[in-house]
Amino acid sequence: MAAACLEEPECFSLNNNFVGIAFKKLSNNTRDTVVFTGITADGTDFVWLADTAAMTGIDSLRLNYFKDSTVFHFQSGNVASELHLSYLTQAQFVSEDCGQRFVLSNLKVTKSSGFDSVRVVGTVPKKKGTSGTNIEIYRCPLTNLAKFTFVSPVQLKQITANYAPGAITYSEEERSDVYVPLDSTAQTSTFVFNFLDGSTRTLKVDYTRTGRKLFNACGWQTVLSGLKVDTVATTFTEATVGKTNIQDPPLTNIAITF
Amino acid sequence: MILLTAFAATAQQTKPVKPVPAGKPAPAKPAADTVKRDTVKNRYLPTGIRFGTDVLALVKSNVQDDFQGWEVNADVDFHRYFLAVDYGSWARTYPEDSSNYSNDGTYWRVGADVNFLTKDVERNMFFLGLRYGHSKFSESLGVITADPIYGPLTRDYVNTDITARWYELTTGLRVKIWQMIWMGYTARFKFGLKSNGATDMLPHDVPGYGRTDRESYWGFNYQIFIRLPFRKMPPLPPAKKKK
């Protein structure tokens, strides 16, 4: 009798109907931080994420093991993404005490939209509470995001670009690094920096645009290189070019002395 | 000609005939074959066939509500080696509120045993053996369950004509009780289970093997046999004389 009890499997977490997702950068295969405002699935009113959250991965998205597929919807502001997953679901009787379990395998991504690249790294979904990644979602490198570094920390109010409406606003705290996108459609970008003390400075950057296929999944991208500071239009005391090309993650392109 | 004659003479000298020393007798011819010949004729011809049944399966069928089964066994001797064949039927039913499981099928095993009691007058056996097992069965599972996110599910799963195979290491005893009546047991270490044909449902219990969630499995039979002799058993080899 004792041996029979010992042989009986535990009845909780019998189903392996959870997938782990990792968000990564294609440029260096490291974790990427993404911001979602909502995550839902077809066939249920349940909402995994109802508020804005930054994350580098999702530990356990629950698959519908009554079917052979589940569609997840990811919302990030106005941008919607979808992930269509298919898998093989097989029921199996476990014991009189536990009833049945559902064994999932052969996980595939049948369709995705809104994501640059998706690949399955683990075809067997996992049980609740276990670690592991089944799906990696990659982001293509940003080829126009420049990094400006102030030699001494400053209190920025906002930065306005000549090519885009609106401005990037900042909190009142001191900062050294700012990340601003350059205009990929032109060979120059001009930024007006408004500081908290009311002063204003201008930075004009010239660069070369080249079309390159960095990754097959990303297609042709406009790569910016040969960054130069237009010293005539720039009103900072000093602006020295560091990295002349744009990298992801960005390295300091221009060191600025206020 | 002189050269040829000289060469022939040299060639003959390379195979000298060993002279027999004076006073010693010439070596005798090699002695006759001194290895004892096996005088037991037709020792590998079968002497009888043993038919039996598993008593435990019959008892389980009468005692347990969820099991119905039987098994018959047969073996034929080839000196100390036995060809063994088993055939059985196995059905389980677990009626439950949330899941209703049942299976039904037949199985067979074939293999060989080696008897290590070669000097026993009654030809009792202590054996080790190997088996290949094969099962063909059907099973059904009725599921009534609910997922906290995806809601309720009510569905009947059915597997028909599933096949499975496995291997066994066996050991046991066969003891002559009275005239043609023999008894014995067989312990089976079952392993290497593979099943084919399952689609929506994974097998839970394979007739002849047992539960599929274990990589290996122990089985036990307590058997009663009737031995039908074909011919007289060959005599045992003479016991070695103590020096």
Side-chain angles (χ1 to χ4, degrees):
Chain A
M1 177 66 83
C5 288
L6 288 172
E7 288 173 355
E8 202 61 34
E10 294 171 342
C11 293
F12 61 89
S13 294
L14 292 173
N15 306 330
N16 65 322
N17 61 316
F18 291 86
V19 289
I21 296 177
F23 297 100
K24 290 185 146 186
K25 300 170 192 167
L26 261 176
S27 54
N28 59 0
N29 202 32
T30 57
R31 286 291 184 116
D32 185 28
T33 302
V34 294
V35 176
F36 289 120
T37 53
I39 301 175
T40 55
D42 281 354
T44 174
D45 296 330
F46 184 81
V47 178
W48 273 270
L49 181 69
D51 204 353
T52 304
M55 59 187 78
T56 60
I58 302 170
D59 273 345
S60 50
L61 275 182
R62 195 184 187 99
L63 298 171
N64 186 350
Y65 52 90
F66 300 157
K67 295 182 175 178
D68 287 339
S69 64
T70 304
V71 178
F72 289 103
H73 301 273
F74 300 84
Q75 197 71 31
S76 180
N78 294 325
V79 181
S81 309
E82 280 186 2
L83 204 55
H84 296 240
L85 304 180
S86 77
Y87 39 86
L88 175 65
T89 301
Q90 293 174 298
Q92 184 179 37
F93 182 75
V94 176
S95 68
E96 284 182 281
D97 291 334
C98 299
Q100 74 288 325
R101 67 171 177 166
F102 291 88
V103 180
L104 279 64
S105 59
N106 201 21
L107 180 71
K108 290 176 186 168
V109 175
T110 53
K111 184 183 168 188
S112 70
S113 64
F115 296 117
D116 292 332
S117 178
V118 180
R119 73 168 180 158
V120 176
V121 292
T123 57
V124 179
K126 54 189 188 170
K127 290 182 178 178
K128 187 178 185 180
T130 57
S131 60
T133 300
N134 296 99
I135 296 167
E136 289 180 340
I137 297 178
Y138 286 89
R139 171 179 64 76
C140 288
L142 298 172
T143 56
N144 69 332
L145 192 65
K147 181 181 179 182
F148 301 152
T149 301
F150 288 93
V151 175
S152 301
V154 294
Q155 283 185 298
L156 263 174
K157 190 177 177 186
Q158 64 178 37
I159 299 175
T160 312
N162 68 325
Y163 62 88
I168 307 168
T169 56
Y170 294 91
S171 59
E172 293 182 1
E173 62 200 47
E174 287 189 333
R175 68 188 68 246
S176 294
D177 299 327
V178 289
Y179 300 89
V180 286
L182 304 179
D183 186 1
S184 297
T185 62
Q187 293 189 327
T188 182
S189 294
T190 304
F191 301 97
V192 176
F193 292 72
N194 295 107
F195 295 91
L196 208 61
D197 62 3
S199 58
T200 302
R201 297 285 187 278
T202 302
L203 175 68
K204 188 178 180 190
V205 185
D206 299 329
Y207 41 84
T208 309
R209 297 183 305 132
T210 317
R212 282 178 65 186
K213 211 171 188 177
L214 298 169
F215 298 96
N216 284 335
C218 304
W220 288 94
Q221 290 185 283
T222 302
V223 176
L224 308 183
S225 59
L227 263 67
K228 284 187 285 189
V229 175
D230 184 335
T231 51
V232 177
T234 299
T235 59
F236 281 109
T237 306
E238 189 176 8
T240 312
V241 174
K243 283 281 174 189
T244 58
N245 57 335
I246 300 295
Q247 295 186 350
D248 185 6
L251 299 172
T252 299
N253 297 108
I254 296 172
I256 300 171
T257 304
F258 181 70
Chain B
M1 177 63 84
I2 294 168
L3 276 174
L4 277 174
T5 310
F7 181 78
T10 310
Q12 280 178 0
Q13 284 171 3
T14 57
K15 288 182 180 177
V17 177
K18 205 173 183 180
V20 178
K24 272 197 170 184
K29 286 183 180 178
D33 189 0
T34 53
V35 177
K36 285 183 181 176
R37 295 182 65 183
D38 185 357
T39 54
V40 182
K41 288 182 179 176
N42 301 327
R43 70 194 322 193
Y44 288 100
L45 282 181
T47 62
I49 185 168
R50 203 160 29 199
F51 293 104
T53 187
D54 179 21
V55 178
L56 287 183
L58 299 177
V59 171
K60 272 173 69 180
S61 296
N62 284 291
V63 172
Q64 293 185 2
D65 294 334
D66 56 16
F67 180 83
Q68 281 293 318
W70 50 263
E71 181 177 311
V72 290
N73 317 96
D75 63 11
V76 181
D77 62 318
F78 298 90
H79 182 44
R80 63 184 293 206
Y81 306 101
F82 288 73
L83 172 67
V85 178
D86 309 318
Y87 184 81
S89 171
W90 175 319
R92 281 193 195 279
T93 305
Y94 296 119
E96 279 292 307
D97 291 339
S98 61
S99 55
N100 192 331
Y101 174 84
S102 65
N103 73 353
D104 190 1
T106 57
Y107 60 94
W108 52 261
R109 306 184 199 100
V110 63
D113 295 325
V114 182
N115 182 18
F116 288 91
L117 300 182
T118 53
K119 304 285 171 63
D120 191 277
V121 179
E122 297 289 351
R123 308 301 168 96
N124 295 323
M125 284 176 70
F126 166 71
F127 65 89
L128 293 174
L130 290 168
R131 296 283 188 282
Y132 171 82
H134 183 275
S135 180
K136 187 173 183 180
F137 62 102
S138 301
E139 57 181 357
S140 65
L141 174 68
V143 172
I144 303 171
T145 188
D147 181 80
I149 290 177
Y150 293 106
L153 172 76
T154 302
R155 185 175 165 185
D156 290 326
Y157 294 87
V158 178
N159 272 339
T160 53
D161 293 339
I162 302 292
T163 59
R165 62 106 174 118
W166 66 95
Y167 303 97
E168 295 181 2
L169 290 172
T170 56
T171 186
L173 289 175
R174 302 276 186 270
V175 179
K176 185 177 180 180
I177 302 298
W178 178 70
Q179 291 191 351
M180 294 192 303
I181 309 297
W182 292 61
M183 292 179 79
Y185 71 82
T186 305
R188 307 173 183 281
F189 178 72
K190 310 175 191 184
F191 61 97
L193 177 71
K194 292 268 185 202
S195 62
N196 293 306
T199 52
D200 290 346
M201 175 168 57
L202 289 171
H204 161 69
D205 181 77
V206 174
Y209 180 86
R211 283 171 59 160
T212 58
D213 57 351
R214 294 172 199 173
E215 301 237 330
S216 60
Y217 214 91
W218 278 100
F220 190 82
N221 300 113
Y222 189 78
Q223 295 143 314
I224 293 178
F225 295 94
I226 292 174
R227 186 176 184 280
L228 303 176
F230 297 150
R231 66 186 183 98
K232 198 175 180 183
M233 286 187 183
L236 290 170
K240 285 180 183 174
K241 290 179 182 176
K242 288 181 181 176
K243 289 182 180 177

